Amino acid sequence: MTHLSLQLLAFSVIFYTTSAFQAKTVLASSRPTRSALLAELTPRQLQFWEDVESGLVDIEKYYESKNGQSMDRIWTFCKRAQGGLPLPRPEAKGHQPSEEHVDGLTAKPFWDTSADATNFPWATKLEDNAHIIIEEFQQKLLNNNPQGEGGLFSSDSAWQSAIMGEGWSAFRLQRLGVWNVANCAVFPKTYDLLRGLDIPLAVRGVCFARQATGSGVAAHSDGRNFILTAHLGLRIPDGCWIKVGDEERTWSVGKLTTLDTSFEHSTGNPTDEDRHVLIIDFWHPELSEAERAGLEFIYDLRNKFESGEIPFRQPRSKAEGQGLGGLWNALTGGN
């Protein structure tokens, strides 16, 4: 089993093993002490978590005054992401949550989004207009060599291919909250439709995904329970399958297949044709508006740190002589 979490937001201290299966065997008594956790934080990591705290405090104040919504689960998320709490327990067979986890959210392998207008008011509208996306996509396939040099699926990252397998590739419309202007210009009707549906898009993005003939994605978990993933069927050869937890299904053209990728999942295309879907990542419906804002802030900040957009500064806790204990108390309330 492979676990694909980014491991503690890429700035936290990793004390659990990177295998989800092995991580679940670690006893709470074997978790590192507070002093051990703090001793491992680099100045850049300290800076990141100080900036997280500062931003979340402002977001919390805003939503408390606006609608009284709590940010308690996001503060718990931060504490676990730093290694201060044990990994969450699985909710069902095949569930593999990671340290990037929001407590109390419903966990199930598949979600019937088009039948739940309360939580997913955009889903039926998307299916009703799926022909717009399908027709535009089919036309682009006819006019391009999809896998050849310069084709739609020729530029996906080697990192993603290594994770998803050689037969999987993507053409990205949005990633990490940012629309790819050049790629969206290739699919203007699809872009306009998606923007008009007010889908609560999450950090991982939107992409067209190809599964090549005779290939599949090995069983893995993405770990994050607060993002759901919808696949809109575009070209689905008979015999293709997707397994989430212990439940196996297929896709249907023009219909949504929605899954929780914190469950172990895998796909297969044993046919002699490529399979294509449109992948849409969106926030779990049980997150509050305040919690979404908090998570968006954390992941946007992480991206800025990773890209070097935010320059290094000396952490305030050290500059002010507070020491690491002072930082821990600030981030966790002394708990």
Side-chain angles (χ1 to χ4, degrees), residues 148-215:
E149 184 176 353
L152 287 178
F153 298 100
S154 64
S155 61
D156 198 50
S157 68
W159 177 85
Q160 188 69 61
S161 296
I163 291 173
M164 303 295 286
E166 292 297 327
W168 191 94
S169 54
F171 184 84
R172 303 185 183 281
L173 300 183
Q174 191 211 59
R175 185 172 184 270
L176 304 175
V178 179
W179 290 96
N180 185 313
V181 175
N183 287 358
C184 288
V186 178
F187 292 95
K189 294 179 181 178
T190 297
Y191 171 74
D192 288 342
L193 175 60
L194 293 177
R195 290 297 300 268
L197 291 177
D198 198 26
I199 303 171
L201 297 174
V203 292
R204 288 193 307 221
V206 179
C207 67
F208 290 102
R210 163 187 169 262
Q211 187 73 63
T213 174
S215 70

Side-chain angles (χ1 to χ4, degrees), residues 83 122 135 139 146 149 170 177 212 259 289 309:
W122 51 269
E135 291 170 2
Q139 187 61 43
E149 184 176 353
L259 57 145
E289 183 182 1
E309 184 177 341

